[in-house]
Amino acid sequence: MAAVDKREVVRILEEIGLLLELKGESPFKSNAYYNAAREIQGLTEDLTGLVSSGRIREVKGIGQALSEKLAELVGTGRLVYYEELKQSVPAGLLEMTAIPGLGPKKVTALWQKLGVTTVGELEYACVENRLASLSGFGQKTQDKIMQGILQLKRRRGYLLYATIIAEAEEIESALRDRLGVAQLVGDLRRRVEVIRSIDLLVAGVSVQDVADALSRLTGLKQVGSEETTVRAVSPSGLRVVATVLDKLTPHALLAATGSDSHLAALAARATQRGVNWNVSPGVSGHPEPQADTEEGLYAALGLPFIEPEMREGLDEIDAAEAGRLKPLVRAEQIRGIFHNHTTYSDGSASLEEMVEAAKTLGYGYIGISDHSQSAFYANGLKEDRITEQHAAIDALRKRVTGITIFKGIEADILADGQLDYPDDVLARFDFVIGSVHSRFNLSEEDQTARVLKALGHPHLTMLGHPTGRLLLSRDGYRIDMKRVIDAAREHGKIVEVNANPHRLDLDWRLCRYAKAVGVKVSINPDAHATEGLADVPFGVNVARKGGLEPSDVVNTRDAEAMQALLAG
């Protein structure tokens, strides 16, 4: 019996809702599954226990029919209703819904009116201009769908770092247990935000030993070997590439970790200094620089150690040579967090639950920042509900010790650059995050001007998810981020590194620019559930790739220092 964890249950419920929409079922029916998925996502108690005891019925929106389906799914690892529903809809329709701007209703229309059931058929229909004259579509929609198809093609075969890292570490650990030496390398070791393959080095054993070990791992498929490499497909569908070496040397580890441009720069430097730097490290008969550690290798090139995250071939070697590389920020140095949502807007956990969860994680303060009134789709706060929430925070401050609660808001930056409340309302908050949530299609000049105006507002504390991107889903809006960062410096504003794995925005490349001009960042989880608070380390990865040290990150300060900073 295959175990089904909470994440898989949520995914299946959401997919059932989508399949029902594609079949044209009542919205009440599909919404029941979407709502159930959202409620289960926010659960803090063990799902299996709730289902087996029958107390799952106590969860909002879970009636008799749904509880029976959950019992079947959690108890047996499968759900016949879901399997039959999937068979009743062409499989390609689900993939089509992943195209930006193409929702279930439009996909159903394409299926019913044009017989289109796959992304390939849809692309061909666009090439033949068949959508331009289709009712409910038109030329602009066709052009947008075509752009979305190209975007989907680019992201095929990739997964978020946060999605794959646990699986990759399980493979690494299992190989190490069986074979003695195994090390994740490549993009995963550099903590790149989007991953294409799980790359490992294994040493001191045969290729057949590695193939046998991978074949025994649950969920791995298509295991095959070549001369020095074993390949497989992970449970999540990513390529697994294990390179087998005679010995795992520091040079082999370095060579398998850095980007091509970083390694090319090191090789050129080695040539200038007469240091052996071969292209086949770890293989017998190929001379290597004499060093016991990666630190020693960099020292042989006259450089201080460069952390794996920074080995991207940008400015890290120049910065290292000039002595500008300092110890990078670490996750345990984050003392508190901002940008957290509760049930007052679109969060799934209560104010008290979020505070207690942050305290349990060891944070000394938490900033509550629900959505503002223009975000009606997210139950944004009108002024009367701000008063209600602030009273609740005041009461909670008296009951809960050991953690400071800051009153905040995620205020929409309106199209004209104004914030979503008048000044007297904004003045009631300890901090204000300004974020763009609408009008993504403005020109670069207009979008930039919009954000620049917001940065000049005296009540704005920090800029939230600055480019609006959603990794593997939506490109950021057109905006000149260097001008934005320059304006943040001019006005003394903080720029957010949003740690939600789907955002990781500010991008690490721009973190380097922010540091260069002296702009501080705040690493925030943008949590909509207590589980989201655990995303902070993914934001720290971004900061480290951007070369940020603790002093560059405002929330490495303790509660007292943060109180003083917010008070101005």
Side-chain angles (χ1 to χ4, degrees):
M1 181 179 71
V4 180
D5 62 15
K6 185 174 79 170
R7 182 171 56 181
E8 180 67 2
V9 170
V10 169
R11 184 194 69 77
I12 288 172
L13 291 176
E14 288 177 340
E15 191 165 305
I16 289 173
L18 181 55
L19 289 165
L20 290 171
E21 280 196 88
L22 290 171
K23 293 193 69 173
E25 297 279 1
S26 163
F28 294 104
K29 194 171 181 180
S30 55
N31 284 338
Y33 285 92
Y34 289 140
N35 293 336
R38 185 165 56 249
E39 293 294 333
I40 290 172
Q41 178 66 50
L43 290 176
T44 55
E45 192 171 345
D46 177 61
L47 177 61
T48 302
L50 284 173
V51 171
S52 62
S53 67
R55 290 188 296 113
I56 193 68
R57 290 284 304 275
E58 298 171 8
V59 176
K60 181 182 176 183
I62 307 291
Q64 179 66 32
L66 260 173
S67 68
E68 290 175 358
K69 288 183 173 65
L70 287 169
E72 179 186 347
L73 179 57
V74 173
T76 69
R78 56 180 299 210
L79 180 59
V80 173
Y81 173 75
Y82 167 61
E83 294 169 358
E84 291 177 346
L85 191 60
K86 281 184 74 173
Q87 291 175 0
S88 70
V89 174
L93 298 189
L94 285 173
E95 186 181 21
M96 286 166 60
T97 62
I99 297 170
L102 196 57
K105 289 184 179 178
K106 278 190 163 58
V107 169
T108 300
L110 291 167
W111 174 27
Q112 294 177 348
K113 296 179 181 179
L114 295 180
V116 168
T117 60
T118 68
V119 172
E121 290 173 352
L122 178 59
E123 183 176 9
Y124 193 70
C126 289
V127 170
E128 291 198 331
N129 214 35
R130 284 189 281 151
L131 275 63
S133 58
L134 189 64
S135 176
F137 287 80
Q139 185 64 50
K140 288 185 178 179
T141 300
Q142 176 175 281
D143 292 343
K144 186 176 181 180
I145 289 172
M146 192 63 177
Q147 291 171 5
I149 292 171
L150 294 176
Q151 185 176 327
L152 182 64
K153 281 185 170 183
R154 287 198 302 269
R155 68 178 189 249
R156 275 176 173 165
Y158 290 86
L159 286 175
L160 300 178
Y161 173 92
T163 300
I164 199 64
I165 185 59
E167 181 174 284
E169 288 177 342
E170 285 179 10
I171 295 171
E172 176 192 41
S173 178
L175 287 178
R176 189 176 291 144
D177 289 345
R178 288 173 168 83
L179 305 174
V181 178
Q183 172 71 56
L184 286 171
V185 289
D187 289 354
L188 277 166
R189 189 166 182 237
R190 297 202 315 280
R191 301 183 186 183
V192 176
E193 58 270 43
V194 175
I195 302 298
R196 187 170 190 173
S197 64
I198 298 172
D199 297 305
L200 304 105
L201 295 182
V202 185
V205 293
S206 71
V207 168
Q208 189 59 51
D209 289 335
V210 178
D212 290 344
L214 286 175
S215 297
R216 295 191 190 101
L217 299 186
T218 303
L220 257 69
K221 299 171 289 187
Q222 300 176 31
V223 178
S225 59
E226 302 168 10
E227 186 177 352
T228 60
T229 304
V230 181
R231 300 179 185 273
V233 176
S234 81
S236 294
L238 280 193
R239 293 178 300 157
V240 177
V241 182
T243 300
V244 184
L245 305 175
D246 298 330
K247 182 180 180 183
L248 183 54
T249 64
H251 187 39
L253 183 56
L254 188 153
T257 297
S259 70
D260 289 345
S261 52
H262 179 82
L263 296 175
L266 292 182
R269 191 177 179 91
T271 299
Q272 294 169 357
R273 291 174 170 255
V275 176
N276 288 325
W277 207 265
N278 67 73
V279 295
S280 302
V283 178
S284 296
H286 293 267
E288 297 183 14
Q290 297 302 304
D292 295 329
T293 63
E294 286 183 297
E295 287 85 350
L297 289 172
Y298 282 101
L301 299 180
L303 296 171
F305 181 64
I306 298 176
E307 295 282 359
E309 295 95 325
M310 291 197 69
R311 301 175 194 175
E312 294 290 352
L314 296 181
D315 61 348
E316 66 270 13
I317 292 177
D318 291 340
E321 188 167 41
R324 297 198 305 271
L325 290 189
K326 307 297 182 184
L328 301 179
V329 64
R330 303 188 310 275
E332 60 268 26
Q333 293 174 311
I334 304 300
R335 308 289 292 276
I337 45 176
F338 297 94
H339 203 158
N340 302 287
H341 298 268
T342 74
T343 49
Y344 273 93
S345 64
D346 60 345
S348 63
S350 69
L351 170 63
E352 185 165 4
E353 287 170 336
M354 291 296 283
V355 172
E356 288 290 353
K359 182 179 176 181
T360 299
L361 288 171
Y363 291 119
Y365 52 90
I366 181 173
I368 302 299
S369 53
D370 281 299
H371 283 285
S372 64
Q373 57 189 350
S374 288
F376 58 88
Y377 52 85
N379 194 28
L381 301 183
K382 300 291 186 183
E383 291 185 33
D384 60 331
R385 296 184 62 236
I386 293 172
T387 301
E388 178 187 339
Q389 186 183 65
H390 284 191
I393 291 175
D394 289 338
L396 193 57
R397 283 171 170 172
K398 295 176 182 178
R399 297 199 310 274
V400 178
T401 59
I403 187 168
T404 299
I405 309 169
F406 292 117
K407 299 172 182 174
I409 195 75
E410 185 181 13
D412 272 31
I413 298 175
L414 306 179
D416 62 359
Q418 296 290 340
L419 298 183
D420 199 15
Y421 297 110
D423 288 358
D424 62 323
V425 174
L426 293 171
R428 296 166 59 186
F429 298 102
D430 296 320
F431 68 98
V432 174
I433 300 173
S435 301
V436 171
H437 288 124
S438 62
R439 300 291 298 276
F440 295 155
N441 60 346
L442 293 179
S443 69
E444 179 177 315
E445 185 58 38
D446 288 346
Q447 198 73 269
T448 304
R450 171 191 193 176
V451 175
L452 294 182
K453 184 172 182 179
L455 286 168
H457 196 292
H459 289 299
L460 182 76
T461 310
M462 68 182 77
L463 178 64
H465 46 72
T467 72
R469 77 177 185 184
L470 292 174
L471 293 167
L472 300 182
S473 179
R474 182 180 74 202
D475 292 335
Y477 34 76
R478 293 168 291 176
I479 189 168
D480 187 336
M481 277 306 302
K482 289 191 174 180
R483 285 178 62 194
V484 167
I485 292 170
D486 289 342
R489 175 189 57 190
E490 177 186 350
H491 296 291
K493 306 300 185 184
I494 301 163
V495 175
E496 176 179 75
V497 172
N498 191 297
N500 183 301
H502 294 273
R503 290 190 182 275
L504 300 183
D505 181 17
L506 194 67
D507 183 271
W508 56 267
R509 299 161 189 83
L510 288 166
C511 284
R512 295 190 180 198
Y513 182 75
K515 179 178 176 62
V517 301
V519 169
K520 304 295 186 186
V521 308
S522 178
I523 300 174
N524 300 326
D526 196 356
H528 287 71
T530 54
E531 294 94 334
L533 300 174
D535 286 340
V536 170
F538 301 123
V540 174
N541 289 349
V542 171
R544 288 175 64 85
K545 288 187 72 63
L548 302 190
E549 54 195 279
S551 61
D552 297 316
V553 182
V554 294
N555 46 334
T556 57
R557 309 179 190 202
D558 63 20
E560 185 178 355
M562 185 56 67
Q563 180 80 63
L565 177 67
L566 295 179

